[in-house]
Amino acid sequence: MFGLGWPEIVALVVIALLVFGPEKLPQAAAQAGKTLRNLRRMANNARDDLRTGLGPEFADFDPADLNPKNFVRKHLTADLEDDWKSTPATATATATAEPAPAYPAGGELGYGEIPPYDSEAT
């Protein structure tokens, strides 16, 4: 929870007991719970209003995607995942369908010639 371990949580509880006292601590915890619940409801309503206002073409919109780290990670890895999923099938199909052409006698390719493809080397 928020990167807190048990020692930090115990320390927060002890500090809360010292600040609020044992009589007012349940009231303070209830008030904090209500505030947190209201903030969560407001955030959900704002997200729903934003989705409604953007229209159906943004139905899968997630506000967390506006974070630059998430935005870059999503768009860069999506392309890589698409390439990763399609590459093995096309590479094996290409390698088995066409034999590699032989090098010319001089070892140089002419204009427009396709270099040989060695499926065992890749």
Side-chain angles (χ1 to χ4, degrees):
M1 170 170 63
F2 303 115
L4 297 177
W6 285 108
E8 290 90 359
I9 293 174
V10 170
L12 288 174
V13 169
V14 169
I15 291 172
L17 275 171
L18 292 174
V19 170
F20 294 111
E23 297 86 23
K24 293 186 180 180
L25 186 61
Q27 295 169 353
Q31 184 64 32
K34 286 179 186 177
T35 303
L36 185 61
R37 195 171 23 252
N38 287 337
L39 287 172
R40 187 176 296 148
R41 187 176 333 125
M42 287 173 31
N44 287 338
N45 288 341
R47 185 187 64 222
D48 293 341
D49 289 345
L50 183 62
R51 284 185 179 163
T52 302
L54 290 175
E57 54 272 350
F58 292 100
D60 61 344
F61 173 72
D62 186 15
D65 291 339
L66 297 177
N67 182 347
K69 287 183 180 179
N70 294 342
F71 182 82
V72 169
R73 185 179 303 127
K74 178 180 177 182
H75 290 287
L76 287 180
T77 59
D79 292 340
L80 293 175
E81 288 174 2
D82 291 343
D83 291 344
W84 179 262
K85 290 177 184 175
S86 64
T87 301
T90 56
T92 54
T94 305
T96 57
E98 299 177 13
Y103 277 113
E108 296 180 7
L109 294 175
Y111 180 76
E113 291 182 318
I114 299 173
Y117 176 75
D118 185 9
S119 63
E120 294 176 3
T122 57

